[in-house]
Amino acid sequence: MSEKFDAVVVGAGPAGSTAAYVMAKAGLNVVLIERGKYAGSKNMSGAQLFSAPLEKIIPHFWNEAPVERRVIGNRIVLLSEKSYVAIDFRTDEFNKHPNSFTVLRAKFDQWLAKKAEEAGAMVITNYRVDDVIKENGKVTGVVVGSDKIPANVVIAADGALSFIAEKAGLRGPLHDRQFAVGVKEIIELPKEVIEERFNLDEDEGNTFHFVGDCTMGMQGGAILYTNKESLSLGIVVLIRDLKERQIQVADVVEHFKRHPFVKRLIKKGNTIEYSAHIIPESGIHMMPRLYSDGILVVGDAAGFTLNSGFLQRGMDFAIESGALAAEAVIEAHKKNDYSASTLSIYKRYLEESFVLSDLKTFQKAPLFMENKRIYGLYPQLVCDVFEKIMKIDGTPKQLTYKILRNTMKGKVSLLTLIKDGLGGKGAL
């Protein structure tokens, strides 16, 4: 391909498609390359999309996008082997103006890539980028099979293990402690059953975030999202822990599904899809260099994901970073200067947005989340304490603080509990 593009975007996930859309809308000559058969074909289905970043670009996008349900409730659930304690938040305010939606990535990613194509971007699917072209240390395009595609700028949106960022020399070796493996199932259920089971009206949705027995004591968590006619059930477990325990992630998923609470929620459901994905877990600590001469890095490729302990976020970071990278390229196009000096404005845009701000705010979270007591001991203690409080069996009752002290005895010291509490205060 001899045509030179203003920009080549590698990867048609939310970050890449958003970048291509914004640049094409501004009149730039853009090509978006996706190695899957179609955008979304290699993405895990079932996600929570926080609406603010995309709404800035496509106002009221939910009126045309293939969203599943408007999320009006979030439940955080601590699991022991047989019990659970939940913190339930629900508001009708999110019916007035949507805060987030559940989406199926295969459908949503196709729609967003189509929007980029309608804006004027060339979308090429089922092609893998094999290398970057470098001239005098500057990235000047990509290699696709036997073809070379020249461009003023390359945007790496090719996921957590970003081959493009590595080839461009923007990051060093990766470590398994920086990544988790995520597995999701799509479980089919009738619309009426979902709305009755989860106490939902038309198009309303719930999300569940689990910690504790769901990961068999390993670092990670689980989710359950309501879609129109299905549930998205997922497990995320640190790769290092799976290796150390020599446990297959599929076995962790089955263990989670057998929990009495979860079993009731997915009762009579039929699994119609199963997918796995590598997820960056170290946040800002694994962020590569974000720009260099002729290249920018966005989304998962930049490590832009966040587990704040209450929510798992990724799509909003991807969309925002894709849009900001596009704005940086538009500025470089005006100047006809694609050097690192000009493209560095991308970093400034990120710092002014929620992306780097939130990653810095929660930068201690990844280290705090390595505390194994979060995934075994503490959920069990909480469940045990509530069971003792609620159980009325004809014997004299103790004050709550005495129940707590007696339950903790021999399991965790007060000093350790205080230290962990202070650590969580500073991280979450």
Side-chain angles (χ1 to χ4, degrees), residues 183-186 249-251 253-254 257 271-276:
V183 174
K184 278 189 187 159
E185 291 187 9
I186 301 301
V249 69
D251 294 333
V253 174
E254 292 307 312
K257 290 167 68 176
T271 298
I272 58 173
E273 184 181 331
Y274 187 95
S275 57

Side-chain angles (χ1 to χ4, degrees), residues 14-313:
S17 290
T18 299
Y21 174 82
V22 173
M23 290 186 293
K25 286 278 285 186
L28 274 63
N29 189 16
V30 180
V31 60
L32 174 62
I33 305 174
E34 166 58 40
R35 69 188 177 98
K37 291 182 179 179
Y38 54 86
S41 65
K42 293 189 175 295
N43 291 109
M44 291 178 64
S45 277
Q48 184 176 7
L49 169 67
F50 294 95
S51 58
L54 188 56
E55 189 183 5
K56 288 190 300 185
I57 302 163
I58 307 174
H60 296 92
F61 67 87
W62 51 84
N63 291 327
E64 58 171 304
V67 297
E68 292 292 307
R69 289 181 179 272
R70 181 191 312 107
V71 176
I72 64 161
N74 301 84
R75 183 176 288 187
I76 299 168
V77 186
L78 303 180
L79 293 180
S80 69
E81 185 180 354
K82 304 276 185 194
S83 309
Y84 76 93
V85 173
I87 301 171
D88 200 2
F89 170 76
R90 186 163 174 155
T91 177
D92 284 337
E93 287 299 312
F94 291 163
N95 272 324
K96 297 175 183 177
H97 193 87
N99 176 65
S100 67
F101 296 89
T102 56
V103 298
L104 295 173
R105 287 288 302 275
K107 294 180 181 179
F108 181 82
D109 287 14
Q110 283 186 77
W111 171 80
L112 193 53
K114 185 67 177 175
K115 293 295 291 184
E117 190 172 39
E118 290 171 356
M122 178 187 294
V123 179
I124 301 174
T125 60
N126 212 23
Y127 278 89
R128 186 185 69 191
V129 174
D130 297 310
D131 206 345
V132 296
I133 304 170
K134 270 191 167 185
E135 297 176 6
N136 300 319
K138 179 185 185 317
V139 175
T140 59
V142 296
V143 178
V144 180
S146 59
D147 289 329
K148 291 185 176 182
I149 303 179
N152 291 321
V153 176
V154 171
I155 294 182
D158 55 331
L161 300 177
S162 184
F163 174 78
I164 301 303
E166 180 183 2
K167 281 290 185 179
L170 297 181
R171 68 164 172 80
L174 299 172
H175 306 284
D176 57 12
R177 67 172 292 174
Q178 297 175 313
F179 295 94
V181 59
V183 174
K184 278 189 187 159
E185 291 187 9
I186 301 301
I187 301 173
E188 192 174 49
L189 275 174
K191 182 175 184 289
E192 310 77 47
V193 172
I194 291 172
E195 289 171 359
E196 180 180 357
R197 188 171 294 178
F198 293 90
N199 190 26
L200 300 170
D201 288 334
E202 182 82 14
D203 296 330
E204 292 179 342
N206 269 347
T207 66
F208 294 73
H209 302 268
F210 301 88
V211 66
D213 185 70
C214 53
T215 56
M216 302 169 68
M218 294 180 286
Q219 183 176 339
I223 58 92
L224 185 71
Y225 301 153
T226 56
N227 304 315
K228 286 180 181 177
E229 296 182 321
S230 66
L231 304 175
S232 297
L233 178 145
I235 282 280
V236 176
V237 184
L238 200 71
I239 292 174
R240 180 194 60 191
D241 285 1
L242 288 169
K243 285 182 177 180
E244 289 178 355
R245 294 272 299 273
Q246 296 186 333
I247 296 175
Q248 297 295 318
V249 69
D251 294 333
V252 185
V253 174
E254 292 307 312
H255 173 81
F256 174 52
K257 290 167 68 176
R258 287 193 297 268
H259 191 279
F261 177 60
V262 178
K263 192 174 180 179
R264 292 186 185 96
L265 295 180
I266 64 176
K267 183 179 178 181
K268 294 185 178 180
N270 178 37
T271 298
I272 58 173
E273 184 181 331
Y274 187 95
S275 57
H277 189 61
I278 300 297
I279 301 171
E281 282 286 300
S282 295
I284 202 167
H285 304 292
M286 65 181 299
M287 189 174 72
R289 287 168 53 206
L290 298 174
Y291 62 90
S292 187
D293 292 326
I295 186 167
L296 298 171
V297 188
V298 299
D300 279 7
F304 292 158
T305 62
L306 176 63
N307 178 1
S308 66
F310 302 101
L311 293 171
Q312 287 75 46
R313 295 168 57 190

Side-chain angles (χ1 to χ4, degrees), residues 311-371:
L311 293 171
Q312 287 75 46
R313 295 168 57 190
M315 289 185 73
D316 58 326
F317 286 104
I319 289 168
E320 182 78 354
S321 63
L324 296 178
E327 294 294 345
V329 175
I330 292 167
E331 188 65 27
H333 180 72
K334 291 176 183 176
K335 297 180 178 180
N336 193 29
D337 178 5
Y338 303 94
S339 66
S341 176
T342 298
L343 292 176
S344 66
I345 196 172
Y346 170 53
K347 179 82 175 291
R348 195 189 86 196
Y349 290 161
L350 289 169
E351 288 171 339
E352 292 171 350
S353 79
F354 68 84
V355 176
L356 287 186
S357 175
D358 286 2
L359 287 173
K360 288 176 181 177
T361 296
F362 295 98
Q363 63 183 306
K364 295 181 180 178
L367 182 60
F368 175 74
M369 301 300 277
E370 290 183 6
N371 184 343

Side-chain angles (χ1 to χ4, degrees), residues 387-393 395-399 403:
E387 182 175 338
K388 290 173 182 177
I389 291 172
M390 299 299 175
K391 187 175 181 179
I392 306 298
D393 59 2
T395 60
K397 299 297 292 181
Q398 293 180 316
L399 292 172
I403 292 175

